[in-house]
Amino acid sequence: MQTCSADSGMLSNEPRESSRKTGWRPWNVEGRGWHAIFFSLGLLFSATSFASDKGNGDRGKGDQGETGGEASQQAEVSPSFATGNDEVPNFQRHVSPLFGRLGCNGRSCHGSFQGQGGFQLSLFGYDFQADHLALLAEGSGRVDLEDIDESLILSKPIDADGHGGGQRFEKGSWEYNLLRNWIAGGAKNVAQPERLAKLVVEPNRIDFSKTPQQQLQVIARWVDGSEEDVTALARFQTKDPALAEVSERGVVTGQSSGDTHIIVSYDNAVVPVEVYRPFAARSSAEAADNRFSSEIDRLVQTKLDRIGLDRSPQVDDLTFLRRVSLDISGTLPSPAEIKRFAIDPRPDKRALKIEELLGTPAYAAYWTTFLCDLTGNNSQELRDVGLNTDFPSQLWYDWIYERVRKNEPYSEIVRGIVMGRSRGAEESYTDYCERMSRMTREKNTSDFVALDSMPLYWMRRETQSLEDRAISFAHSFLGVQIQCAQCHKHPFDQWSKDDFAQFSRFFSGVEFSRGRLKSPGDRDELAKLLESLGISPDSKGGNLQRQIAEAAKAGKTVPLPVLYLTKPKIQRTREEQQSLAKSGKRGPLYYTEARLLGEDALDLRGVSDVRQLVLDWMLQPDNPYFAKAIVNRVWAKYFGVGIVTPIDDLSLANPPSNGPLLDYLADGFVRSGYDLKWLHREIVSSRTYQTSWEVTETNAADRRNFSHALTRRLPAELVVDSCLQATANDSENARFRDDLADRAIAIAGTTLARANNRGRNASFALDAFGRSTRSNNCDCDRSNETSLIQTVYLQNDRDIHTLLSRADGWIGEVRKQLSPPAEKGALSAVELETRVARMKRQLDAAREAENKQQVIQLEKRLAQTAKQLKEQIALERDAQTSQAARSKRVELIAEAYLRTVSRFPTADEVQRCEQFFSESADLSVGLSGVMWALINTKEFVVNH
């Protein structure tokens, strides 16, 4: 994930309300060649100066397609500003962007929180007013209106020794003249920030097979109708320097084969430019051979053709079955299911299997866990709800599960969360406490599941401030990382600190009352409830909570916190409150307007629940975030990488690898009525999803264009469940998709580790394999990375050995079936080995105690038992060497492979397993070893 750590190279796309001055052009530098100046300093030319005197033609002024031919060269032109030109630049359009391009307002310079040398600019230039005041601070000498050339913003940057940041430009350069003319014109700020209508970058796509190097031209178009070339004031950044490099003047140079983006930023605009070097040339005939009926496949293939990538072949039936079973239902296919699918002759059997999986309880459980990750169902964060630690998480999980099971529209699931209320319209505080206390007492979630809304999202500890709510909400439902804008201009997007503050206002009308209840009527009911429990009204803090907990444990109705809807109340900092107190003014109590992300301000007056405004905006068909966020996340679950990566960073500086593909899926999802099953079906039915993980000569390095499947380590819950399922007896294995009792994918919260009926606790394994703690507003909270502890767990942890040796598991079942006929009461070789080992320990203890009589007895019994063991081993080995026994071993080897890696073993694998069996004490020991080895293969622990 991108973080705010860069400085002068950081994107600064300050969302402004816009500027107005027209016709500004670069300043003259006398005595220097203009070509040299352009290529060394990134000199800005006017939009009308691109007519070449060398026959290169006009580059045009509209949005331009991909380039061809030689790299464009900037023609020599007359300087727009000769010596003595007194045209005054604009602070927003020219001065502030120049500070950004020079790195002056970066984190390591004057944009740091401490500033540098007593001079502080807003980080990444978000605040014109603050920056202007800092520049003109009385006595600072930064701007000297009387002796212009003595102004520190001119004299310092040209002095390599005297300036801590080194020389930033030369005296007489266009940068110097820009600042000098601004000072000479009175060093004025803009009266009101102006709005940039559009930033046009030409060309908007570069093919390096046609041109090795390309100059970008950046034109700013303002709402007042003016436009100007701002190439020299724009900032450029490459997403992947191994594929393309870009200079500070906007010259892009191709490197290795592949595709990436150059990010261009100026004022509040950020524009990505697609650049690529094809891996191999593709003829139109070759491209025509790769046509597909699915729109997903067509859009993916169009991109693959453009960058010269082959598509890997389609996977075989059994690989598809394992992949789709794990991806849709979080469950391995059973051996019987695999055998049936392998011989099923129906041409549409894959589509039928998809429908079957979408109808299983395991599908609902697995994707409910996904939505609980997304919305932050964290047990620790729900402690203030006042119920049993894990029960609120169970309520949250079950509420979502029922809606996923019934395939309710995603929009309605989100509506229920966003508009969450604690109580019904006519429900009293006492009735609310009785209802919730009863549910907790009975551990029955059905009444809660039946509610129209789910308020727990707003009752978490981490979302009690407006800022935290805005950050959490933007991450969960919009896929936007807005937290940088809480303190400063967002470096990778258009959001300013004011945008963040405006968006936060929409969450000021929800108040979670953990202490004093807001309603006088509720307070009266609370007093009566405490009196009925024998709790003194003077009890407070920990003493009160202890008494309430004891009453709840006794099964009584107890007082609980509640969620209130209020007018959007202004939340002021302590400094703001102190300032108001000193002024003697009260100040407004409520917000009267707020602005959604990228939208105009909305009137909040008379709105009973301001969250409704956010919800209505999100559910507009053309909302730029809501549908794309969930579509991109679901796609990433199936492919291991999103169309936008990181998947929770839908920002202008993080463009999709295939924009038309993301648009198609988002539009189709909206048209389907936000049908999650439509989305799953559309993705997994595509040839793109069913592509093999095996690579071709051209696509081995591709990780963003879906030319081949990426092998993905199983999520934590699936690792735990797959180990349990692979070792389960036949009947348990067959019903694993339907019986969720012991499933890790059905664990509701983050502290509940669910010990099953064998006393097995999954907590350690889930943590080792990176389950989401749901504690950060980042999808990276869940880890799919590999680690040494995971290897150690699968090889040596007692969980694995217990699963392999359990009497009610598959190997125990096989042991019972294959034990040779014996006299009543006779023991197997394994049981006799255990008895011999125990006798040896007893004999050692008797010798150490010098108990001679016990030693004699134990030596006699040990000799007899050892003889029995030798005879039993011989008996069982004779049974194993028969042709029937060999056939059974081959059958069990195949079953072991089907249970773990969901395919039949090769002849070589069968031979090696048989060799292992021949060296084992008995068949069950050999089978246990084979299963252990298969569980420890990469093929088992990854989805391929």
Side-chain angles (χ1 to χ4, degrees):
M1 172 171 294
Q2 293 170 316
T3 57
C4 305
S5 58
D7 291 313
S8 59
M10 184 71 76
L11 299 180
S12 179
N13 44 329
E14 167 61 14
R16 313 279 191 242
E17 295 266 64
S18 192
S19 123
R20 141 118 225 71
K21 189 97 173 144
T22 64
W24 175 82
R25 293 172 182 173
W27 277 257
N28 177 34
V29 182
E30 292 186 343
R32 302 186 66 185
W34 282 99
H35 279 95
I37 296 168
F38 178 82
F39 285 105
S40 65
L41 297 177
L43 182 61
L44 184 63
F45 289 87
S46 72
T48 60
S49 67
F50 280 80
S52 171
D53 61 352
K54 298 184 180 181
N56 288 334
D58 194 329
R59 293 181 59 186
K61 299 181 177 60
D63 292 346
Q64 186 168 314
E66 67 183 70
T67 60
E70 297 299 319
S72 300
Q73 296 294 316
Q74 186 65 43
E76 183 174 0
V77 296
S78 299
S80 299
F81 272 78
T83 303
N85 191 316
D86 59 358
E87 186 170 350
V88 180
N90 177 286
F91 187 73
Q92 176 181 347
R93 294 189 182 192
H94 310 126
V95 177
S96 185
L98 179 59
F99 285 143
R101 195 183 72 81
L102 294 173
C104 303
N105 55 23
R107 187 183 299 278
S108 63
C109 199
H110 299 289
S112 71
F113 290 112
Q114 298 79 25
Q116 290 287 345
F119 176 30
Q120 182 181 11
L121 292 170
S122 60
L123 185 59
F124 310 129
Y126 75 87
D127 191 335
F128 296 132
Q129 182 68 17
D131 289 348
H132 188 262
L133 290 174
L135 286 166
L136 271 69
E138 186 176 354
S140 68
R142 294 164 196 142
V143 172
D144 191 333
L145 296 176
E146 295 182 359
D147 192 348
I148 297 174
D149 290 326
E150 291 302 310
S151 299
L152 293 180
I153 65 169
L154 292 176
S155 61
K156 280 275 191 178
I158 64 173
D159 186 352
D161 296 325
H163 186 223
Q167 185 180 22
R168 306 306 298 150
F169 49 76
E170 296 180 359
K171 186 173 183 178
S173 66
W174 68 268
E175 295 98 332
Y176 182 94
N177 289 337
L178 187 157
L179 294 176
R180 192 182 192 287
N181 276 27
W182 175 68
I183 298 171
K188 295 177 181 179
N189 191 8
V190 289
Q192 287 293 330
E194 299 176 271
R195 181 174 298 175
L196 179 64
K198 187 175 184 181
L199 191 70
V200 178
V201 181
E202 300 174 339
N204 58 22
R205 181 186 292 165
I206 302 173
D207 179 353
F208 289 124
S209 68
K210 298 177 180 178
T211 176
Q213 192 176 79
Q214 177 67 46
Q215 169 69 54
L216 295 176
Q217 180 191 11
V218 186
I219 299 173
R221 293 176 179 166
W222 301 89
V223 293
D224 63 3
S226 64
E227 68 175 50
E228 57 185 311
D229 187 320
V230 294
T231 306
L233 294 175
R235 287 192 280 179
F236 305 91
Q237 184 186 44
T238 177
K239 296 288 287 183
D240 189 343
L243 301 181
E245 292 182 345
V246 62
S247 69
E248 70 171 16
R249 66 179 181 270
V251 176
V252 187
T253 305
Q255 302 294 320
S256 304
S257 296
D259 65 302
T260 187
H261 286 86
I262 300 299
I263 307 302
V264 183
S265 60
Y266 169 80
D267 195 74
N268 73 328
V270 177
V271 178
V273 176
E274 183 184 3
V275 298
Y276 61 93
R277 182 186 298 280
F279 287 87
R282 303 292 298 276
S283 68
S284 58
E286 287 177 316
D289 290 338
N290 291 318
R291 298 301 98 188
F292 301 96
S293 58
S294 162
E295 185 66 10
I296 288 177
D297 297 329
R298 187 187 69 78
L299 292 169
V300 169
Q301 190 63 48
T302 298
K303 177 71 178 292
L304 295 180
D305 289 342
R306 185 162 67 244
I307 60 178
L309 282 176
D310 293 326
R311 189 192 289 260
S312 291
Q314 190 173 26
V315 294
D316 61 76
D317 282 343
L318 297 192
T319 301
F320 166 78
L321 179 61
R322 186 179 200 268
R323 181 188 295 178
V324 78
S325 296
L326 287 167
D327 279 343
I328 290 181
S329 68
T331 310
L332 289 167
S334 69
E337 181 183 5
I338 297 169
K339 293 172 185 176
R340 289 194 302 270
F341 195 77
I343 62 174
D344 188 344
R346 294 175 295 179
D348 61 344
K349 65 180 180 181
R350 295 192 180 192
L352 293 172
K353 178 56 67 176
I354 291 167
E355 292 304 315
E356 176 189 332
L357 291 169
L358 288 172
T360 60
Y363 156 75
Y366 183 47
W367 288 94
T368 294
T369 295
F370 164 76
L371 292 176
C372 284
D373 285 354
L374 193 61
T375 53
N377 181 4
N378 182 301
S379 305
Q380 296 294 330
E381 292 293 332
L382 294 171
R383 286 183 175 273
D384 290 339
V385 174
L387 305 175
N388 171 280
T389 302
D390 294 317
F391 191 61
S393 286
Q394 193 68 52
L395 293 173
W396 189 322
Y397 180 94
D398 289 354
W399 189 91
I400 294 180
Y401 175 89
E402 182 62 14
R403 283 149 182 81
V404 175
R405 184 188 69 81
K406 293 164 62 177
N407 197 35
E408 291 190 7
Y410 176 68
S411 56
E412 294 307 302
I413 297 174
V414 172
R415 182 189 302 276
I417 296 172
V418 172
M419 302 301 293
R421 296 169 178 257
S422 293
R423 295 185 279 177
E426 304 299 326
E427 189 175 29
S428 69
Y429 177 71
T430 302
D431 291 341
Y432 163 71
C433 292
E434 288 178 350
R435 172 169 59 85
M436 297 301 293
S437 295
R438 183 180 67 255
M439 281 193 292
T440 306
R441 183 168 58 248
E442 298 173 357
K443 294 293 185 288
N444 185 343
T445 65
S446 58
D447 287 347
F448 189 87
V449 166
L451 297 175
D452 292 335
S453 69
M454 200 282 295
L456 296 173
Y457 176 83
W458 302 102
M459 302 170 82
R460 296 172 296 161
R461 286 180 175 179
E462 70 166 16
T463 56
Q464 295 315 303
S465 73
L466 295 190
E467 292 80 6
D468 289 337
R469 287 176 179 171
I471 292 169
S472 175
F473 193 95
H475 166 261
S476 296
F477 303 118
L478 304 176
V480 173
Q481 292 289 343
I482 197 176
Q483 55 264 41
C484 289
Q486 181 179 0
C487 301
H488 55 75
K489 168 71 181 65
H490 197 299
F492 298 113
D493 215 330
Q494 58 188 296
W495 315 125
S496 68
K497 189 175 179 181
D498 183 59
D499 291 320
F500 180 92
Q502 289 281 337
F503 184 62
S504 300
R505 293 181 180 184
F506 288 99
F507 311 110
S508 60
V510 183
E511 186 170 329
F512 179 41
S513 178
R514 291 168 289 177
R516 179 179 172 82
L517 300 178
K518 291 185 66 63
S519 164
D522 289 352
R523 291 197 290 271
D524 291 341
E525 292 185 56
L526 172 61
K528 293 178 181 178
L529 189 54
L530 291 174
E531 182 180 358
S532 70
L533 296 172
I535 299 176
S536 168
D538 297 327
S539 297
K540 296 180 180 179
N543 181 43
L544 175 62
Q545 294 304 316
R546 179 183 57 78
Q547 294 180 79
I548 291 176
E550 290 174 355
K553 190 178 294 185
K556 298 179 181 179
T557 296
V558 297
L560 296 169
V562 67
L563 198 66
Y564 288 100
L565 298 181
T566 69
K567 293 173 65 176
K569 188 176 181 179
I570 295 175
Q571 293 187 8
R572 293 187 173 90
T573 65
R574 181 177 299 178
E575 292 76 12
E576 289 171 336
Q577 292 172 352
Q578 291 173 346
S579 177
L580 274 177
K582 289 179 180 178
S583 69
K585 299 178 181 178
R586 184 179 182 185
L589 296 177
Y590 304 102
Y591 295 117
T592 58
E593 66 175 27
R595 191 172 64 245
L596 293 162
L597 296 179
E599 302 291 333
D600 294 328
L602 296 176
D603 191 346
L604 303 184
R605 291 170 294 186
V607 179
S608 59
D609 187 345
V610 292
R611 298 175 301 175
Q612 185 68 53
L613 299 175
V614 187
L615 182 68
D616 292 344
W617 168 68
M618 288 199 304
L619 297 186
Q620 291 174 4
D622 60 348
N623 184 280
Y625 305 107
F626 180 66
K628 288 182 179 179
I630 188 65
V631 161
N632 187 55
R633 281 169 161 141
V634 171
W635 180 278
K637 288 284 284 185
Y638 285 115
F639 288 88
V641 62
I643 304 172
V644 173
T645 301
I647 58 176
D648 56 356
D649 186 19
L650 299 186
S651 68
L652 297 173
N654 190 39
S657 61
N658 192 321
L661 174 62
L662 183 61
D663 291 340
Y664 165 72
L665 286 170
D667 292 345
F669 184 54
V670 174
R671 287 195 305 271
S672 75
Y674 299 95
D675 184 343
L676 286 168
K677 285 189 178 180
W678 175 89
L679 181 59
H680 294 302
R681 190 182 300 113
E682 189 76 5
I683 292 173
V684 300
S685 298
S686 69
R687 169 69 168 75
T688 300
Y689 172 76
Q690 298 178 27
T691 298
S692 172
W693 60 272
E694 296 180 282
V695 298
T696 68
E697 184 177 348
T698 64
N699 71 16
D702 176 40
R703 294 189 59 84
R704 56 185 260 120
N705 292 297
F706 318 112
S707 58
H708 62 90
L710 301 178
T711 56
R712 297 165 276 135
R713 202 213 71 205
L714 297 180
E717 294 85 352
L718 271 60
V719 173
V720 171
D721 281 348
S722 296
C723 290
L724 177 61
Q725 182 185 2
T727 57
N729 60 52
D730 287 337
S731 60
E732 186 181 338
N733 184 292
R735 65 173 186 268
F736 214 66
R737 282 201 194 103
D738 300 318
D739 185 358
L740 303 176
D742 292 336
R743 297 295 305 273
I745 60 171
I747 294 176
T750 50
T751 59
L752 180 63
R754 185 166 292 175
N756 63 25
N757 55 17
R758 285 176 292 276
R760 177 170 165 268
N761 190 302
S763 181
F764 175 78
L766 290 172
D767 291 342
F769 284 91
R771 70 166 166 178
S772 175
T773 61
R774 302 170 186 167
S775 58
N776 299 309
N777 294 303
C778 178
D779 284 34
C780 59
D781 193 58
R782 174 178 289 276
S783 172
N784 285 325
E785 299 299 319
T786 57
S787 68
L788 179 60
I789 193 65
Q790 296 167 8
T791 303
V792 172
Y793 174 82
L794 291 174
Q795 290 184 356
N796 296 325
D797 195 271
R798 64 182 179 185
D799 281 358
I800 301 300
H801 294 287
T802 299
L803 290 174
L804 290 170
S805 62
R806 55 185 167 137
D808 63 343
W810 178 55
I811 295 174
E813 190 176 58
V814 169
R815 184 182 297 120
K816 292 174 185 177
Q817 294 171 353
L818 297 181
S819 295
E823 297 180 5
K824 187 177 181 180
L827 300 176
S828 68
V830 173
E831 292 170 321
L832 287 169
E833 283 180 338
T834 302
R835 181 168 291 188
V836 167
R838 184 171 65 249
M839 287 182 178
K840 287 180 177 180
R841 291 194 299 270
Q842 293 172 344
L843 181 59
D844 290 340
R847 286 170 176 166
E848 187 175 346
E850 298 183 354
N851 188 332
K852 295 181 180 180
Q853 184 176 356
Q854 190 177 15
V855 168
I856 293 171
Q857 292 175 346
L858 286 170
E859 286 177 341
K860 183 178 179 180
R861 288 170 55 197
L862 180 59
Q864 293 173 342
T865 307
K867 182 181 178 182
Q868 285 180 289
L869 172 61
K870 185 176 180 181
E871 293 171 351
Q872 186 65 23
I873 289 174
L875 181 64
E876 293 182 5
R877 185 160 292 163
D878 288 343
Q880 290 184 42
T881 56
S882 67
Q883 183 60 37
R886 184 185 182 280
S887 297
K888 187 62 178 178
R889 286 198 303 273
V890 172
E891 178 185 329
L892 291 174
I893 292 168
E895 183 84 359
Y897 272 78
L898 293 174
R899 282 172 165 269
T900 52
V901 294
S902 307
R903 63 171 176 83
F904 294 97
T906 64
D908 180 61
E909 288 168 334
V910 171
Q911 182 179 2
R912 282 187 283 138
C913 288
E914 283 205 279
Q915 177 65 31
F916 182 77
F917 272 119
S918 69
E919 298 168 358
S920 302
D922 64 21
L923 188 143
S924 64
V925 172
L927 185 58
S928 179
V930 168
M931 285 292 291
W932 177 89
L934 286 169
I935 287 173
N936 277 280
T937 61
K938 289 182 180 178
E939 190 174 357
F940 174 76
V941 81
V942 302
N943 195 354
H944 50 81

